[in-house]
Amino acid sequence: MSVDRAPEDPTVLQLQQRETKPFVSSEDGLAVSAMSGEAAFEALADPPLARPRPVARTNALSIARDPVALITTECITVTSAMRKHARWAHSSVSAILGGTSSGVHGRDTSRPSSPKGGIGGRGSQRNRGTGEIKITDDDIGLANRWGLRGKKGKSMQDNPLMSAFSRLRGDLAGCKDIQSFDTPALLYPFLQVIRSSSTSAPITSLALIAITKFFNYNLITRDSPRLPLAMQRLSSAITHCRFEASDSAADEIVLLRILNLMESMLSRPGGETLGDGSVCEMMETGLSMCCQIRLSELLRRSAEMAMVTMCQVIFERLKHLEVEAGDDLGALEETTKADMGTVKMDPSVNGNNITFPQTAANGIKASKSFEKPQEGLEETTSLAVNGSTVDLTRTSDHDETVEVKPYSLPSIRELFRVLVYLLDPHDKQHNDTMRVMALRIIDVALEVAGPSIAKHPSLATLAKDYLCRYLFQLVRSDNMAILNESLRVAGTLLATCRGVLKLQQELFISYLVACLHPRVEIPRELGIDPALYEGVPQAPKLVRPPPSQASSGRSTPVPVRDRQKLGMEGGSRKPDAREAMVESVGTLARVPSFMVELYVNYDCEVDRSDLCEDMVGLLSRNAFPDSATWSTTNVPPLCLDSLLGYIQFIADRLDDESKTSGFPDRTKLREQRARKKIIIRGAAKFNENAKAGIAYLASEGIIENPDDPYSVTRFLKGTTRVSKKQLGEYISKKANENILSAFLDLFDFTGKRVDEALRQLLESFRLPGESPLIERIVTVFSEKYCANTTPADIADKDAVYVLTYAIIMLNTDQHNPNLRSQNRMSYTDFARNLRGVNGGKDFAPEYLQEIYDSIKTNEIILPDEHENKHAFDYAWKELLLKTESAGDLVICDTNIFDKDMFSATWKPVVATLCYVFMSATDDAVFSRVVVGFDQCASIAAKYGLTEAVDRIIFCLSSISTLASNNQLNTALNTEVQVNDSKVMVSELAVKFGRDYKAQLATVVLFGVVTGNESIVRDGWQHIVRIWLNLFINSLIPPLFSTQTTLDITPIPLQNPSQTIDRGQRPEDSGLFSAFTSYLQAYAADDPPEPSEEELESTLCTVDCVSACHMGDVFSNINTISAESLRSLVMCLLSQLPEDSSPVVIIVKPDIPPSSPTKPNGHRARPQGTIYDPTVVYVLELATVLTLRDPDIVAAVGIDVAEALQNVIRDAGNTHPIVVARAVFYLLNLLAASHEHSFIRAPVVLHTISSFDQSILGSSAPLILSGLAHCIKNPGPLRNEMTNSPDFWSILQTLRALPEASAMVFDIAEDITVGTPSATTADNYESAVSLLNDFATAASVGAIAEQKQDKVGRGQKLAKQTKPKASVIVARGTKAIGIVYQLTGRVPALIEKSHLERNEELASTDHKEWTMIFGEVLFPLIIRLLKPEVYQSDPIGMSETRVQAATLLCKVFLHYLVLLSEWDGMLDLWLRILDIMDRLMNSGQGDNLEEAVPESLKNIILVMSSGGYLVPPNQNPENERLWTETWSRLGRFLPNLYSELFPKEDEKTSPEPAAGRSVEAAPTVETADQSAEKA
């Protein structure tokens, strides 16, 4: 039904301007006011979307009256109203009494035999045996005349409409059970009234009310006789309702009752008995009411609500059909295929058939009808709507013998088709109001049966093609009503049918992303570090390459604004439109599996966009507050909500069981994603430089062989990521002719006209703009087109060449908007240009005509130039072609892809949460963001994403302000004491206590870290900074009770500048008292006392730190793996200062002084050295963590040992407290890692022994404690340390210190008399020497005795003897006893020290001894002789040289026997003498001058006693050895010979000259004498 807008008529205007007039029906109490405009609409509808009325009740109402009496009453009510009408004023008595009228001669026509008879067939005659009725010709005459003169001059008093009621009453007189009464007969008289064009609107309304009651009161049920036939007739009657037009309000009451009845018919249990035709007619009627703009707004909205409810029922029926069909849905399609074309809906739109009100010749107004004009029918009636009339035709009824099939797929598909076609944005008959109505109905249909629609091909085809096509064009509308509804429908469609809409969904979401993602940098706000929101993309990944220029003439240039409307680029949408789009995105994002499906189906496929990443980036970027400047203030919270929902869904799936069956392989998806990244990078390179791109893709294995043209062209044609412009230029170059040929070989032109083949070719690349390049392409195309078989209409390839050029020119001419229509090329011009070019002949006219028409109606659209009005159709056609190969979308209701998806998208999420946290002011926002941080951390921890956890820690620690490297001043820290509790008020504590965001971030931070310590890596850097800042301000202890502790005092901190005892203050502290305190503080230059607000802020900080439960973190650290703990230890060590550089944080005093601090007084800070407690904290915590177990020692021991050794090496520039504790940590580490090679006891001991005396003294307790720990247990470490001279040197030095002597004695006692004893031949002398020193120190006892004697002689002792002297005496006495015990071990020790000469430690060739001396000992001594080495440690270097010389001599003597058999012994001995000469004459200390002669004496005596160094007369073979030895020794030790051999020197005195030969060798002493001297 269509509506034409009619000129304004006075009658119509008068009707529209009448005041509201109520129409009340006494039967059902329904009162409807003929309200105009918005008032009526507001009364019955909820703008802008009419609220669907609920489906009718399936349980009928109970009735208190007798059903027969009720029906009789309804008959009387209708006939009474008819009698009051002028037309039926002379009705007979039978109309009142019931039964047959006198005019029909006793015939009973109350029951129709068929629908045809009941609606005016040829006649009726009742069959008594069957109860059926036959209609006679007389009745037809009566019906045609309605009380006027009948046929053959018979007089007729009653109208057949009234007589039908009379007959019904007569039939009901003997009815006992109304449920068994024939349903068509029951409804027959009422249907006649409804279909009659002579009844008025009130009469028709009464008939409708009566039928509605019959259904509601359960008089007609599902089991009623012949219900399908009755429903069919009722549907036909109400869809072809006719009545006299009165006023518009009364007319619309009838229409409202029809809507109500149609809705009730479909919704009740018997509604499924309606046939496809009936359902289509009812839906057509409802749509016609919705689309008639001449109807009131109230009626149209009511019709829309009724349509919504009926569509809910109809599409719900689709689900029941699926259940009935079972698993074989194809069978349902097949069985209903034949009926698909039998139903057709064509609703009247825009009133095309509406005419002005007319008056009939007899003065009666024209009637109103719903019937639609049909061809071939003569009977027509008039329909008046709001003063207009419609000429419609009555349709013929079906014969009752035809079985009525319940409505099924055909009517559902037809309804869906009509609704979809109403959305066509290019159909001018459909206005936006109609489209909004259709969108609302379609949305309901999708909500009810979206998945079912996707399962049926006949419905899915409509959804995939036309519905998506129209929707995706409507979302580009500027009409907000259209936009809102189309976005809603699109969201519902994708939420329910996305499984079959893979590419359509990509197009829709890509458009939304392109429109919503701003290309604006995030503004920098004061106080927010830009590093916190790194990771938020500035542009989506799906941005296409820049389009080619439109000046080539082969495309249609379109203004930017029009291109934006076409949706080919994001464009600038209005703020309200952006908000609507964001809401649509949020609707999709609220589907739990939606983002996972985007990732699997698009991000992991090579040819698809990265929609998941783009969607997360879109939500992240628009969640920033600045997005409100180009949208609305609602957009940021909407995007944040969607983003947090995305995280929520992943978190909810963490503990779900992983389902892998039926889903893609994760490994394969990772490979595809990696390949996709390579292709994207390679395509980008290709778009800049084709050769470079090909080379890169070949190097990555994407192109198998870059020298193979087919391998290259297969990739270029198969990918959508290369620029079509660049591709066209690349293949058309002369150097790439083989590639062009291979590229065209990929096309199949068989059976296609030239224009069709050219269209296929030019859609794959953009034709270059240069003529030679175009000519090359056209030439190769002509050859390929004629390569296999030349078409009948083509002579040769030359003809194809010319025709191809002509087609290109025709395409440009026909679609260039700069040309006027009269100037465009006609077919005649086109044919004239091609005369004689087809092998000397003309082309066939019909062939050219087909080409011309094809190009004129369908432009060849070149890639990268899709900017004209045909662009969307072309793109849509391409999309549909790719749909089959793309496959269906994988629905991912599993968590197996969450790890990879979150790994690809967490950066913008965390950045957004961080930024929002920093800029938010609302508690609700804080709460959501905190939960988001916690969920992100849980997800990252679950999947082992350490980078994500580290980033979260960085963001939160930055917000907390506690991880800053810029230390606040702690010099003014004040300790406040109240009774037994105390708190340190500091600048950091006060500032932090005032910052609520920082406190919240800190609590969240440690909530994130707790339980996730094992996956934190670089994040420890920030955690450690927080610990240091809290520790330095006395807010956390050095170590928590859960950690492994060392036997050492707590780390000393800076003493507070003052201590305030609030408990000692007097109660009355008035103004005078406060002023006095201020003057005293000013005079003493004391810092001001902290205020109550500062104290309160400090307490807030204390509470916040307590709420962080850092002890739990340390407790968990004790259980993490060695690899995880290594990250923490390395972050700790990174906080140490550079080597040899003093660390200055603040100037602090030394160890806290012993003198007490006066309450409420200022402690004068003594001038001390630089001390940094944080260095000690780092070293101690690193040591404690390392000592946890052997695995940790092996993993990080070397790094901790290196850090500790660096500290003690730089002892001169480091505070003694740091040095002392570092030595203690190192010795503890040494005890735990002695079996490892990264730390050696001799090196550590030598470093300690080289300390300055003051450092050694201040560090004595900790050094001795560490040494005692190392030698506590027997083992290699104990032996190695006690045999080291440096060990005893340290003890000798520290023995002299009163506070350390006791510990030194305990160590010496443990070594000498402990079990087992550690005394060996190597340390016997040192041990005895140390004990002797203790015994000597006990001489203080003699002084005490002398003083005691003086007291005995009566002299007064000035001062009482200190008790300490007795301790020293006792210690000395004990030392003497220990020495006495050691004398018994001397023989055993001497025996163990003898060299065993029979050890075969060297091979016969003695090559290794050359290496010992030449590669080790000689280079070592030579290096020690260098001045720069000596200057590095002047004090310790002399001793080192002595030890090196001694070592050289010992090694030589140890292997003397074996070396005597070596030919190179003389050279080795002479080189030893030369080195000894250099050591003697180095002039750098007396130690060498004493040690070298002694060592040489020992060697010479041993060599002499062994017969190796004897005069020539005793052993002529060693003459040269004798001569060279004394010649070299005469240079630097000329008196050595006389000292060793004095008796022989008297006999023969060798000349001191260096070159003099010795004639008579002196006689050497006996071996015993030599050994004794040695």
Side-chain angles (χ1 to χ4, degrees), residues 6 66 75 303 345 470 538 568 581 611 619 775 777 822 1055 1067 1211 1265 1316 1364 1394 1406 1512 1520 1523:
D66 177 56
C75 293
M345 286 178 58
Y470 298 152
Q538 297 299 317
M568 305 319 292
M581 291 181 176
L611 289 187
L619 295 174
E775 180 183 2
I777 294 175
Q822 59 270 24
N1055 295 317
E1067 292 185 0
S1265 179
K1364 187 175 181 181
H1394 285 174
H1406 305 288
R1520 186 180 177 190
T1523 305

Side-chain angles (χ1 to χ4, degrees), residues 643-796:
L643 199 64
L644 293 172
Y646 162 64
I647 299 301
Q648 177 72 49
F649 288 136
I650 301 178
D652 291 343
R653 294 191 294 262
L654 281 179
D655 298 327
D656 292 351
E657 183 180 355
S658 298
K659 297 183 294 184
T660 58
S661 177
F663 297 105
D665 182 65
R666 285 173 289 180
T667 303
K668 184 178 179 181
L669 289 182
R670 294 189 187 106
E671 293 174 354
Q672 288 180 189
R673 186 162 170 78
R675 177 182 175 87
K676 179 179 182 178
K677 292 180 179 179
I678 295 173
I679 291 178
I680 292 175
R681 195 176 297 113
K685 291 179 177 292
F686 180 90
N687 295 337
E688 296 176 0
N689 187 319
K691 288 185 177 181
I694 296 295
Y696 172 79
L697 292 168
S699 65
E700 295 292 338
I702 304 299
I703 296 178
E704 298 177 0
N705 183 8
D707 298 327
D708 180 16
Y710 291 96
S711 179
V712 175
T713 53
R714 274 194 299 269
F715 169 78
L716 294 177
K717 185 176 184 293
T719 184
T720 59
R721 300 190 177 276
V722 299
S723 167
K724 302 301 182 182
K725 174 180 179 293
Q726 183 71 11
L727 176 59
E729 294 178 355
Y730 175 70
I731 64 175
S732 60
K733 290 182 179 179
K734 188 173 182 179
N736 298 329
E737 291 182 352
N738 56 342
I739 293 180
L740 176 60
S741 177
F743 187 82
L744 267 70
D745 284 338
L746 300 177
F747 294 89
D748 183 14
F749 300 136
T750 306
K752 296 181 179 179
R753 286 198 317 265
V754 174
D755 62 310
E756 295 172 344
L758 182 63
R759 186 186 300 273
Q760 181 185 4
L761 175 66
L762 295 184
E763 287 173 353
S764 62
F765 65 90
R766 180 183 178 276
L767 203 63
E770 300 179 15
S771 179
L773 303 182
I774 298 176
E775 180 183 2
R776 192 170 292 114
I777 294 175
V778 172
T779 301
V780 178
F781 168 74
S782 304
E783 296 173 354
K784 300 295 181 181
Y785 183 79
C786 300
N788 296 329
T789 55
T790 305
D793 297 315
I794 301 296
D796 50 26

